[in-house]
Amino acid sequence: MVVKRKKLLVIGLPIVFLLLIITFLASQMSFAPRDKILPGVYMQNIELSGMDYNQAIASIGKLEQQFQKPIQVKYKDQAWVLPMSQVGLKINCKKEVQRALDFGRKGTLRQQFLERRQAFRGAYLKPDISLDKNLLEKLIVTDAAVIILPPRDAGLIIHADNRVEVSPGRSGRLVDIDHLESKIIEALLKGISSPIELKLIDVPPIRSTEQVKVMGVNTLLGMFSTKFDPNKVNRAYNVSVAAAALDGLTVSPQEVISFNEVVGPRSTEAGYKNAPIIVNNEMVDGLGGGVCQVSTTLYNAVLLANLEVVERTNHSLPIPYVPIGRDATVVFDSIDFKFKNNTNYWLYIQSYVKGGTLIIKIFGNSEYKKDVVIRSWVEETYDPKTLVEDDYGIPLGDRVVRQRGAKGYMATGERIIMKDNIVIKVEKLPTSIYKARNQIISQGMAPIGTILKNPN
């Protein structure tokens, strides 16, 4: 009997001791319904104990507002107030509430135990804060402009006499936005109120002086201009929009340029307006009327710069602002004008409107400078037909010209390339076919007296 009692004591004491430990540990843990956050859980300094999802969302929203109070930044002896309400500061409230709800309930049993015990003593979670770097940078650039020196890219200066000069690049000094962002978040999470010291970094230009020099652009290779009526406001506007799209274009060696890709769709969103265009051998109003004058002017500048024409299509009718056979029509997603930089250096294009004149200049390397003459002429002429149509809407015997006829042509031309007044090459230009435009006459068929005249 004594032996049995000893055995029971040997077995029972550890169990009792274990139960005491479990009871003690349980007393050091937090408990709450699964839809409520455990007691003792905080987000920063906001207590979330016992809150449900919606209550916690509202509380963390207040924390986000707290973080939007202005803070100070400084550089040496200069200081600025940074309004945090203008830098896109955000806390992902839904994510943080879920994290608080999951605290002590996710992971291994050991992890849950440790987290619950931590909550019993006070678990202070740090929220994930995000800032909009673009807004932060704009704010700093405006407020701390006196300490900022933007980098300057090297470029080209084209003088009035077409001389080309390299504009040197320069390194800049900017605020390290990544560093500032991390310091702001650190200050908010740690409750630091002292000013944040700005860190400046040296930023090289995207294009250095040496890079621009290596491009080899040092002379005017070719230019061409065409006239238009500035009083035709919509058409003049369209010409200006398309010309601006080409202005400043740089073309690498052997690169093929598509006019349609550079200029883009002729749409109202792109700023184009209705003006006359050629459709089915007739002039009608259409979106982007006038853009073909820009492609035609570019085509002639390309010819005079002795560059390679890859793709070109003539209009269906001769156009008045260039000699016959020297036009280039374009229709977005259908008909394109393309040329190739067949030199070993870069090209630079200037394209602008001055008064009623469109001017396009192509600059490149003097090694490829040639004297170029363009000639074009009519090879064949096509007479229009006269079509007579019966019209019961006009009196018998009357005749009305509905469409005036126009001759058609087959035109061709050549590019003569010279160096030191010696012809070194003659190239045949693409043949251009312009269709004849038939004359259409309406012949009256209505008996006299059967057409009611307008009493007014």
Side-chain angles (χ1 to χ4, degrees):
M1 199 64 179
V2 175
V3 174
K4 286 184 178 180
R5 286 178 181 174
K6 286 183 179 179
K7 286 183 177 179
L8 288 171
L9 286 172
V10 170
I11 296 171
L13 284 174
I15 293 174
V16 172
F17 183 69
L18 181 60
L19 290 172
L20 288 172
I21 292 175
I22 291 172
T23 302
F24 171 76
L25 291 176
S27 69
Q28 304 297 306
M29 294 170 62
S30 293
F31 295 91
R34 292 201 65 83
D35 63 341
K36 301 287 180 69
I37 296 172
L38 294 176
V41 175
Y42 293 76
M43 185 64 66
Q44 192 70 5
N45 60 345
I46 302 292
E47 186 175 2
L48 304 178
S49 300
M51 291 186 181
D52 62 19
Y53 184 87
N54 292 329
Q55 291 170 329
I57 285 284
S59 292
I60 295 179
K62 292 177 182 177
L63 178 63
E64 185 178 89
Q65 292 176 359
Q66 285 182 18
F67 284 156
Q68 292 183 352
K69 294 178 182 178
I71 64 172
Q72 269 201 330
V73 296
K74 71 183 186 74
Y75 181 73
K76 295 182 179 178
D77 59 346
Q78 301 181 78
W80 302 270
V81 175
L82 195 65
M84 296 303 295
S85 60
Q86 298 179 26
V87 297
L89 185 148
K90 294 288 182 187
I91 296 176
N92 189 333
C93 294
K94 293 181 180 179
K95 175 185 172 184
E96 296 303 337
V97 168
Q98 193 59 54
R99 183 157 71 103
L101 282 166
D102 291 341
F103 192 81
R105 296 189 173 105
K106 295 284 185 179
T108 63
L109 289 174
R110 182 175 183 278
Q111 181 182 343
Q112 292 181 46
F113 168 75
L114 293 174
E115 287 183 353
R116 284 174 179 265
R117 190 172 65 173
Q118 183 184 352
F120 180 83
R121 298 170 181 174
Y124 292 85
L125 306 180
K126 299 295 183 184
D128 184 11
I129 302 171
S130 65
L131 306 178
D132 187 321
K133 285 186 183 179
N134 290 329
L135 292 177
L136 180 61
E137 185 171 14
K138 287 179 182 178
L139 202 59
I140 285 294
V141 167
T142 301
D143 290 352
V146 292
I147 64 170
I148 292 173
L149 180 66
R152 183 179 65 202
D153 289 342
L156 297 170
I157 299 174
I158 308 297
H159 294 279
D161 60 357
N162 295 321
R163 285 185 302 110
V164 181
E165 180 184 347
V166 175
S167 173
R170 178 194 66 198
S171 291
R173 185 179 64 246
L174 303 178
V175 173
D176 187 337
I177 299 299
D178 290 335
H179 176 266
L180 175 59
E181 180 192 33
S182 66
K183 286 297 180 183
I184 288 174
I185 293 173
E186 180 185 354
L188 293 174
L189 294 178
K190 293 183 177 180
I192 301 170
S193 58
S194 56
I196 297 172
E197 184 75 25
L198 297 177
K199 177 185 176 183
L200 299 186
I201 52 175
D202 291 330
V203 179
I206 296 174
R207 288 192 307 273
S208 68
T209 305
E210 189 56 37
Q211 285 174 319
V212 174
K213 287 181 178 178
V214 169
M215 290 170 67
V217 179
N218 58 18
T219 194
L220 176 67
L221 294 182
M223 65 172 288
F224 194 75
S225 64
T226 55
K227 301 285 187 181
F228 61 89
D229 185 354
N231 294 316
K232 295 178 179 178
V233 179
N234 282 8
R235 191 177 189 283
Y237 183 82
N238 291 340
V239 169
S240 297
V241 172
L246 288 170
D247 191 41
L249 179 68
T250 54
V251 187
S252 61
Q254 309 306 315
E255 181 181 359
V256 174
I257 290 295
S258 157
F259 181 91
N260 283 337
E261 286 182 8
V262 174
V263 175
R266 272 65 92 183
S267 63
T268 52
E269 292 79 9
Y272 289 101
K273 301 180 179 181
N274 281 319
I277 59 174
I278 300 174
V279 177
N280 295 327
N281 256 23
E282 294 184 33
M283 296 297 296
V284 298
D285 270 0
L287 204 56
V291 171
C292 286
Q293 182 159 352
V294 182
S295 58
T296 291
T297 307
L298 177 62
Y299 171 53
N300 282 267
V302 164
L303 290 176
L304 292 168
N306 195 28
L307 299 174
E308 180 182 339
V309 176
V310 175
E311 183 178 331
R312 171 263 178 188
T313 304
N314 62 277
H315 290 77
S316 59
L317 298 175
I319 53 176
Y321 46 82
V322 288
I324 194 167
R326 290 175 58 177
D327 58 304
T329 187
V330 287
V331 178
F332 191 75
D333 276 345
S334 177
I335 302 172
D336 204 356
F337 168 65
K338 296 180 181 180
F339 73 93
K340 181 179 181 180
N341 175 9
N342 54 325
T343 78
N344 292 324
Y345 296 92
W346 287 70
L347 302 175
Y348 178 81
I349 295 179
Q350 262 195 342
S351 173
Y352 58 95
V353 168
K354 189 175 182 180
T357 304
L358 167 65
I359 303 162
I360 296 182
K361 299 178 181 180
I362 301 178
F363 296 85
N365 189 267
S366 56
E367 180 182 330
Y368 292 88
K369 175 69 175 176
K370 301 289 189 297
D371 296 321
V372 179
V373 175
I374 306 297
R375 296 175 59 241
S376 63
W377 58 87
V378 173
E379 288 273 3
E380 293 183 24
T381 302
Y382 310 116
D383 292 324
K385 296 178 182 178
T386 299
L387 304 178
V388 179
E389 299 175 344
D390 293 343
D391 191 333
Y392 288 87
I394 57 177
L396 183 68
D398 287 358
R399 293 166 69 91
V400 177
V401 177
R402 297 297 186 192
Q403 176 177 288
R404 295 194 177 277
K407 290 184 176 183
Y409 305 96
M410 181 177 74
T412 189
E414 61 186 12
R415 173 164 61 175
I416 304 168
I417 302 161
M418 298 179 290
K419 184 73 173 178
D420 299 327
N421 293 323
I422 298 174
V423 175
I424 57 177
K425 190 176 183 181
V426 177
E427 294 178 354
K428 181 178 172 58
L429 296 182
T431 298
S432 301
I433 303 292
Y434 304 95
K435 298 177 182 177
R437 189 179 184 211
N438 293 331
Q439 178 165 279
I440 301 175
I441 297 175
S442 291
Q443 178 174 269
M445 299 298 292
I448 296 174
T450 61
I451 299 177
L452 292 176
K453 293 185 178 180
N454 191 331
N456 296 324

